Amino acid sequence: VNPDIVVTFYGDLFDYPYLFERMTHWHIPDFLTRISGSPCFKRESGLRTMWEIPGRCNFDLQYEVNADQRLYGLKNRKLETVGEYFRAEGMTEAFPIILPEGIYRTIRDRGVNAIGAYNMADVNVTHEIAVNVYYPLLISLARDVVRCDLQSIVWRTPYWFSETLLGRRFQSENILCDGTNEERFPKVFKYIDKHFDESKGKIRPTGALVELRHRGLMRNVTKFDFSSMYPSIIRAHNLSPETVHFEGLLKDIDHPGWHAKYTNEDEEKKYAELYDPNLRCIWCISIDKEQGILPEYERELMEMRAKERKDKTDGYQTRQGALKIAANSMFGNQRLGFASRANVLVSLAILAFGR
């Protein structure tokens, strides 16, 4: 067996550490690597742990499962639960055999063959979920959207898409990113950090979702949704790292009855105020009228997705899903202090205009 891609479920945090610990204990040479003289090693990104297997793509399914919003509401994200969900949705057929007793009692009463059958079912459902649910999506992201190797997609972090895709656009426009987000906007981050300490449960900036419903029984409830809400806000207001500028901060402000409004404009810019109920402040910003890079890129992604959904050619669901992920990922990066192709004011403006 000499696979190009090794798929596991929770492999980076359990299977590989256990396997390499046993190999070291028994002085077994590294047989997973494909490249002589280059052993497997652990990488810490700050946001996740990954094992690099030289010459192979290491795909831990657990990270995709944890990030999948379709699974919201499941009792847990264990392989059995996820397998049963996708089987019920008609996306997979195999699902794990649940051992009715403890593992040692099962071996005693039913023999080691029962454990073997369980392990094979575990392998089968991991394979089914990978091949039928996530693998086509990741391939489409690598081939159709980002145009990169599969390992980069598999190991992506929440800010990777925006940093990579916007980085290419900035380079093509000869735009230099001078330092990190926090270095460019120290006053903004200082004020936010002053009001947010997770260990003490302090408040954070207000999100786009505002609680509107009352407690109790509600009748005649109507549901509606915005099509690509954050990308649409980015396009409508020309929000981009290079177009949005800090103009001032008004502190300790009671709710003025609005969340975002334009106050003035000149030939080159529009001026806006963004009220944050949690922080009780008003962010004063200006927005260039010249077309920004991020709104233009969002337009391209949304038009490509609309075309896929209209044409409905073979595999269109996978491709339009990949385009949706790329379009929505542009928002999350803008808040991160260590990101370079980002502007925290873009994040605050998206949320305020969303409210």
Side-chain angles (χ1 to χ4, degrees):
V1 178
N2 188 23
D4 297 307
I5 304 172
V6 181
V7 181
T8 63
F9 193 90
Y10 214 64
D12 283 332
L13 296 178
F14 176 77
D15 297 272
Y16 289 126
Y18 179 81
L19 181 62
F20 288 120
E21 188 275 328
R22 292 287 84 196
M23 289 166 63
T24 301
H25 178 80
W26 294 108
H27 306 288
I28 299 173
D30 187 345
F31 59 86
L32 289 177
T33 181
R34 257 183 174 169
I35 302 175
S36 178
S38 298
C40 302
F41 62 93
K42 182 169 66 173
R43 294 176 55 183
E44 300 280 358
S45 72
L47 296 174
R48 61 182 286 188
T49 299
M50 303 161 283
W51 281 88
E52 178 147 356
I53 307 175
R56 309 185 199 277
C57 175
N58 169 25
F59 178 18
D60 189 342
L61 206 57
Q62 180 72 33
Y63 293 106
E64 300 301 325
V65 167
N66 286 342
D68 194 338
Q69 295 183 2
R70 291 173 295 183
L71 304 180
Y72 179 79
L74 291 186
K75 60 182 179 181
N76 58 54
R77 300 291 174 101
K78 294 181 179 179
L79 185 61
E80 291 86 353
T81 306
V82 174
E84 289 172 356
Y85 170 83
F86 283 122
R87 186 171 184 268
E89 293 293 311
M91 302 179 74
T92 64
E93 293 183 1
F95 63 97
I97 299 172
I98 310 299
L99 294 177
E101 308 96 5
I103 187 168
Y104 295 110
R105 181 182 297 177
T106 299
I107 294 175
R108 184 192 67 194
D109 297 343
R110 298 168 58 187
V112 295
N113 288 339
I115 304 300
Y118 175 82
N119 288 338
M120 284 307 302
D122 193 287
V123 169
N124 287 337
V125 73
T126 301
H127 175 266
E128 285 272 326
I129 294 175
V131 170
N132 295 319
V133 181
Y134 295 111
Y135 187 64
L137 183 66
L138 299 180
I139 286 291
S140 182
L141 279 169
R143 180 190 61 208
D144 304 323
V145 182
V146 187
R147 296 181 177 87
C148 68
D149 61 282
L150 181 61
Q151 187 68 84
S152 295
I153 293 292
V154 169
W155 280 356
R156 71 193 184 279
T157 51
Y159 62 89
W160 183 85
F161 273 118
S162 184
E163 287 285 284
T164 302
L165 296 175
L166 284 184
R168 292 176 184 172
R169 289 300 177 99
F170 286 161
Q171 186 177 20
S172 67
E173 297 289 334
N174 294 320
I175 296 178
L176 178 66
C177 300
D178 56 339
T180 66
N181 200 359
E182 189 166 5
E183 290 170 344
R184 286 193 292 272
F185 301 100
K187 291 183 180 180
V188 177
F189 278 94
K190 183 178 180 180
Y191 188 78
I192 292 175
D193 292 341
K194 177 183 176 183
H195 289 76
F196 175 59
D197 182 343
E198 196 166 5
S199 64
K200 297 179 181 179
K202 289 187 178 179
I203 54 179
R204 67 174 72 232
T206 311
L209 180 64
V210 180
E211 189 73 39
L212 296 176
R213 61 183 181 271
H214 300 285
R215 297 182 181 277
L217 178 66
M218 292 164 282
R219 303 181 185 276
N220 302 320
V221 176
T222 300
K223 175 186 175 182
F224 67 94
D225 191 15
F226 293 93
S227 177
S228 301
M229 181 177 179
Y230 285 2
S232 297
I233 292 173
I234 290 171
R235 291 178 60 189
H237 299 280
N238 197 33
L239 303 176
S240 191
E242 81 284 5
T243 63
V244 182
H245 312 280
F246 180 70
E247 299 293 344
L249 170 62
L250 305 178
K251 305 176 183 179
D252 300 321
I253 305 295
D254 292 330
H255 205 306
W258 48 265
H259 289 274
K261 69 175 183 177
Y262 285 105
T263 58
N264 201 359
E265 67 176 292
D266 54 34
E267 292 183 359
E268 297 181 350
K269 297 180 180 181
K270 286 185 175 182
Y271 297 86
E273 294 181 352
L274 317 170
Y275 180 71
D276 191 311
N278 282 358
L279 302 181
R280 296 186 63 245
C281 71
I282 292 177
W283 303 104
C284 303
I285 64 171
S286 61
I287 306 171
D288 295 341
K289 291 184 177 180
E290 183 179 353
Q291 176 72 57
I293 289 178
L294 180 53
E296 176 62 19
Y297 192 54
E298 292 283 23
R299 180 190 64 78
E300 292 177 14
L301 291 173
M302 292 172 69
E303 288 180 355
M304 290 167 62
R305 185 183 178 215
K307 187 176 186 304
E308 290 287 353
R309 298 175 74 178
K310 179 181 178 182
D311 295 346
K312 295 185 178 180
T313 55
D314 229 12
Y316 85 95
Q317 284 283 27
T318 297
R319 291 191 297 275
Q320 71 91 13
L323 291 164
K324 178 181 180 180
I325 290 175
N328 289 335
S329 69
M330 297 299 169
F331 162 75
N333 185 52
Q334 301 303 315
R335 170 66 180 88
L336 300 176
F338 56 81
S340 59
R341 287 99 178 177
N343 181 334
V344 64
L345 298 171
V346 170
S347 171
L348 297 171
I350 292 172
L351 297 175
F353 284 121
R355 291 193 295 274

